[in-house]
Amino acid sequence: MSLAPVATFSPLLARTQVAHAPVDPIAFDCLKFIVVRAGRARLFSEFGVHFVSMGDVVILAANTLCGAEPEGWISTTTLYLDRDYVIDQVFWQYASRFHERLDASQFLDAHYAEPTQVVRIGRHKAGLMMPWLDELVALSVDGLPPDRFYRAQSLVSAVFDILVPFIVVANEGTAGARRSVSAPTVPRHRQFRPVRPEVLEVAQVLRAELDRHWTVTELAARAHLSVSQLRRVFVEAFGKSPISYLTMLRAERMAHLLRVDNAPISEIAAQVGWGDPDFAALQFRRSVGVSPSEYRRISEVVPAPFNPE
């Protein structure tokens, strides 16, 4: 008996690209490991501005806004990893100390709590990873086929063997404070364990009506849940409270409008639901790492011609 066809999904993918123009801040529903192959860029996220170049690796938790301004151009290879897949790796890495998979999830949240890290591994170690990354890209160009999964996993393990010792690990005391701001999160759209329908409805309503003044009470009523239930199941699904998720969506949309619309910043802020320009600027900076006016300036920069030399 043959297996029934299923929707294409893989817990790990790799993509290589060259960026010449500013990249809008966007949040992905998975963990990202961005290896800088060549060039240089200014990275902006909720934890400020970082300059990255060859030998650097950017680590982003799920649902973390991040954009970039290349200095001419930048070449990167990005690993996209489902959080559950990473939890499984951590579980087996520390199998002697964990009793169940939930222990690994809690350990990950407690010790790897930074939503954004820039890891300086150096050009030599980055160069060692390039053949493995290139093979991962080739394997996953059309979605990772099941018969090559173990080869891909071995390549990811080789990359992690070099990278993980450089990752900053928080102690549990400081990690708790960070998680209250922005926790590493489960994927935004679960492809193998569905999100509760009422939670998906709330997320879709927020995306469709960004400019509305929402309250958690209104959203809970929409979902036919209590306020406490909504908060709990929404954080389980998206890693953020409903209002924090709305803030992320507004900042994402505002960044796009700042790039394509010449309207005053106050009008653009109002379009996404922030009637107070000062409050809008504060929330945008917290989410993106730069002010709206600075982001607009970045978006107007004409990229230099591509010159790998």
Side-chain angles (χ1 to χ4, degrees):
M1 183 177 66
S2 61
L3 292 174
V6 296
T8 301
F9 171 73
S10 172
L12 58 99
L13 292 171
R15 296 287 185 267
T16 293
Q17 60 186 139
V18 177
H20 302 270
V23 179
D24 281 349
I26 187 171
F28 282 77
D29 60 356
C30 56
L31 281 78
K32 294 173 63 179
F33 292 77
I34 306 169
V35 182
V36 180
R37 303 177 69 102
R40 179 177 165 88
R42 184 167 69 151
L43 189 79
F44 39 92
S45 70
E46 61 185 78
F47 275 79
V49 175
H50 302 279
F51 286 90
V52 294
S53 58
M54 183 179 178
D56 295 338
V57 181
V58 183
I59 304 172
L60 298 174
N63 291 327
T64 301
L65 283 174
C66 186
E69 178 193 10
E71 291 189 354
W73 63 281
I74 187 169
S75 174
T76 60
T77 295
T78 301
L79 285 178
Y80 302 84
L81 301 176
D82 184 89
R83 178 173 160 81
D84 274 5
Y85 173 79
V86 175
I87 289 172
D88 286 340
Q89 307 312 302
V90 172
F91 175 79
W92 291 114
Q93 180 184 4
Y94 296 98
S96 61
R97 63 182 291 182
F98 295 150
H99 295 290
E100 58 183 57
R101 193 171 175 282
L102 179 61
D103 296 336
S105 179
Q106 293 173 340
F107 176 87
L108 191 66
D109 287 345
H111 295 275
Y112 297 91
E114 289 283 9
T116 306
Q117 278 197 50
V118 177
V119 181
R120 318 283 184 182
I121 67 174
R123 294 190 173 205
H124 173 68
K125 291 188 180 296
L128 292 176
M129 298 193 301
M130 295 308 170
W132 306 328
L133 294 170
D134 289 340
E135 188 174 351
L136 278 166
V137 170
L139 286 172
S140 61
V141 65
D142 294 317
L144 182 64
D147 60 345
R148 302 312 312 276
F149 172 78
Y150 291 110
R151 175 56 182 167
Q153 183 165 264
S154 70
L155 294 167
V156 171
S157 296
V159 169
F160 277 9
D161 186 53
I162 289 179
L163 179 59
V164 167
F166 290 86
I167 298 176
V168 175
V169 179
N171 62 52
E172 296 190 30
T174 57
R178 291 193 187 102
R179 287 199 307 277
S180 67
V181 178
S182 179
T185 61
V186 295
R188 188 185 304 172
H189 302 297
R190 306 292 289 181
Q191 300 192 47
F192 51 88
R193 192 175 63 196
V195 175
R196 290 177 56 160
E198 58 267 51
V199 177
L200 277 179
E201 181 183 354
V202 169
Q204 290 164 358
V205 164
L206 290 174
R207 186 174 289 276
E209 301 183 52
L210 286 179
D211 59 341
R212 179 169 170 175
H213 180 66
W214 289 105
T215 66
V216 179
T217 301
E218 287 177 312
L219 294 170
R222 188 77 173 250
H224 305 290
L225 297 170
S226 69
V227 169
S228 60
Q229 282 179 313
L230 175 63
R231 284 198 179 106
R232 177 176 57 80
V233 298
F234 202 95
V235 169
E236 286 176 356
F238 297 105
K240 297 177 182 286
S241 71
I243 300 304
S244 294
Y245 186 79
L246 175 60
T247 298
M248 182 191 74
L249 293 178
R250 284 175 170 170
E252 199 172 46
R253 178 61 177 168
M254 187 172 177
H256 171 73
L257 292 175
L258 286 169
R259 183 170 58 84
V260 301
D261 192 333
N262 290 325
I265 292 175
S266 59
E267 290 184 15
I268 290 176
Q271 287 184 50
V272 303
W274 284 322
D276 183 340
D278 292 336
F279 181 75
L282 176 63
Q283 294 298 95
F284 188 88
R285 180 183 285 276
R286 284 177 174 173
S287 298
V288 178
V290 295
S291 68
S293 58
E294 173 67 2
Y295 182 75
R296 172 167 273 176
R297 186 200 65 76
I298 291 170
S299 301
E300 293 172 348
V301 172
V302 177
F306 176 62
N307 180 5
E309 299 301 324

